[in-house]
Amino acid sequence: MESKVIDLCEACTALHLTREEFEKPIDLLNDDDTWFQEVVISGRWVDLKKSVATCGLCRLFCHALTQNLVSWDSSVDTHDVEWAAGWAACNIEYQPLDNIESARSCSGLVPVFTNGAETNGNHCVQLFDDETTTEPFRARLPNAHANIDMLKGWIGCCRQEHGDTCHALGSVSGSRAVQTLFVDVLERCLRLADTRVKYAALSYVWGPRNEPQSRRADGSIERFMIAGAFTNLNLPQTIIDAIEVSEALGYRYLWVDSLCIVQDLKEEKLQLINAMDLIYGQADLTITAASGGSAQERLSGWHRETRVHNTRSIAHYGPDLVLGVLPEFDERFMTCPWMDRGWTLQESILSTRCLVFFEGSVYFWCRKSFWREDAVLETAEDYQKPMGTWPGIDHNEPPLSRYEQLVMDYTSRKLTYADDIQRAFLGSQSFISSLLRNTRWFHGLPAVIFDWAIMWHSVFPIPPRKLERRQGFPSWSWMGWQGPSAAPRTKELYSHPQWLIDRTWIDWYIVDNGRLLCVWEPHRDDTSTEPHLGIFQRGRAKRRVEMVPHYGMASSNNPFGRNHARRPFVQGFPTSVPPPTEESLGVPLDFPYLVFSTLKCRFQFTVLGDGQPILRDRAGLLCGIICDETLPEAFPWRNADPPLEPFCEEFDVLILSYGGADNVRSYKDHWPKDSTCYGYPKDLDYTRDGEFFDADPYFLEDPEYHEDDDGVPKAHWHSWSFFNVLIVSPHVEKSGVYERFAFGILHENALGNGLEPSTWDQICLG
């Protein structure tokens, strides 16, 4: 780090910056498009870059501008791009919960592009002090070595002041101890103990060469139990550093999966994988190697050589005035290697507090606080942590919302081995299960809300990624596909808590370990059916609602305990049929087939000009919308050469349940518009043979408007005019078996307008 006073250009010299200017508080509230009220310095971008070599302050402005850049406007010549800087609050990433006087912080010079580029104001030139400073949000200069006393202080403060918030949570609280191996960091060997001992756990990315590992076959497990076994052993560098960190912080034991799980004892390995919620949840601390792409890399920020102080971001402006650019944590962290891996998600969710080694610095995260070496956040009260500070789930959300968050995050991550999709989810599943009435799970779908969970759909990732089939797993589960997926939104279910009982009818059966089982059997699975009430807020009004909607009590002729009086839905079709038997399936019981009876229809599947997949009836009228944002690569229009224009093919459609208003609102822009009501003609894509019709049976009528709890008019669409549906096709190899490839909604008036007469069939979904 440089210690001499920097040279300045003429424009920066004229600023006459003083310490007092950076120390004064400033109002945090700015307009969305205005980062500061008055320009202090400005110029051309090309001139600023030329001054970097000779002016230290220009170097800081250039660095902050680069970090604030969102996108360039290609239509603007680079030589014409201009920038400006002005005074603003220097804690933009850590906004206070209330804009009160005590929450206002010191100031910084925020540079943004004024034309030719889109920028944010998250980085600024601000005051840096040494690490003894206690001024809230003040940037501080870290030492050449990690400050052990500071790290211990963070952990101790969390233990003493955060109470139950940062204690073991969910299924971990009051649960059993797990017997497992630990690394004894003092004896440098393995020791057998249980999770009642005080220990740290390591969360890291394995990478391609994570050796040695504990194995019974080669005798390594016996050798590793001898005191001093790891002293002269060539352990991966991440593990070596984690052992040093644990010892420095006063931990005797460290849990590392590659060493503490005997890799070739399959039954024992599976037991420990199933207990990840207990292992990470009962750890006093999780050491997180966020920067490393493999176990061979050092903990970034632990050793002196990894604590690289970027000289572009620090400059001595005067004897008592050190300026710099504090790096934003949130956006950088969300793209680190650790955040990309499937196995590490459950470790982040289950851990109560984490010490994160990332890009040369150390950070601390717990359920209540987020602290970092290079900024004073310990004394900054009533501030909001960065939105993406920690991955996984918001523990303040209701259980179904947590499940929704979990599926989205998990399916967006990568697994080295595709068939790890279920194993890497078990820890998270165990934790969520305790919040969902101790429900049984079937390939990532909780039995207690199965009709809701099966309506998952794919989402369009950035960057784009095609949805691909994961062999060996069922198509009806998101685990059967590679690519980002989302659980159904919870709002509709919470708005209509009786939906599972009143608006569904399918009795679901599944082949599980060679037996045909009913998905919902609360007595068999020890699943609670007692009311689980919580506070649900809409606007200003709060009301107690069922936090985990569920089926009713099972009986011999009503296995899901539904309300027969509200059973749907069309005359002439049975909604109660004899349950399937193993003999009636006609397929070997060697795969998790989903077996059920419902109405099967047939419609045309096509794609509109804007890429929206839809369903058409036999008259060619749009009658349904496909909710998946990405579809399997094998679809005909994906690979056709020349492309199929327009694509149109027939598919079977399975009626699942009544759809609610939420789906209608989501896709109303694609639905046919009545020209007399909406004031403009219907798009030709929505017509039959280019003709307009005055009485289309699928028009989406105007919504009714009612005031919400805050007195604001809200649109209420006709909630039960649609069905939730699965689009399926016959399995290419297995006769009598279907595969799911899309989820959608179908207008109820379309049931009699399919390409073929609708039939009530027993379906075997693979």
Side-chain angles (χ1 to χ4, degrees), residues 456-524:
W456 64 269
H457 59 278
S458 63
V459 295
F460 192 77
I462 299 175
R465 180 180 171 192
K466 293 179 179 179
L467 195 68
E468 298 178 3
R469 190 75 170 86
R470 179 179 277 110
Q471 298 303 317
F473 293 86
S475 67
W476 48 263
S477 166
W478 48 262
M479 286 188 174
W481 300 90
Q482 298 184 62
S485 299
R489 282 173 291 187
T490 59
K491 182 178 180 181
E492 194 68 28
L493 196 53
Y494 284 130
S495 299
H496 304 279
Q498 291 296 110
W499 177 82
L500 283 169
I501 295 176
D502 291 344
R503 302 293 179 175
T504 68
W505 57 84
I506 295 178
D507 294 337
W508 303 96
Y509 293 83
I510 189 171
V511 176
D512 185 63
N513 293 322
R515 297 178 57 198
L516 185 64
L517 306 176
C518 184
V519 167
W520 172 251
E521 286 194 23
H523 292 299
R524 175 197 66 197

Side-chain angles (χ1 to χ4, degrees), residues 7 10 15 71 133 146 192 203 263 339 388 396 398 411 428 708 741:
D7 295 323
E10 183 178 349
L15 294 176
S71 63
T133 182
L192 185 64
S203 178
Q263 302 296 319
M339 282 287 293
N396 296 318
T411 56
S428 303
D708 64 10
F741 65 77

Side-chain angles (χ1 to χ4, degrees), residues 437 493-494 497 529-534 544-550:
R437 303 178 170 276
L493 196 53
Y494 284 130
T529 56
E530 294 298 318
H532 179 191
L533 300 178
R544 290 180 64 80
V545 300
E546 176 64 77
M547 297 306 288
V548 185
H550 62 96

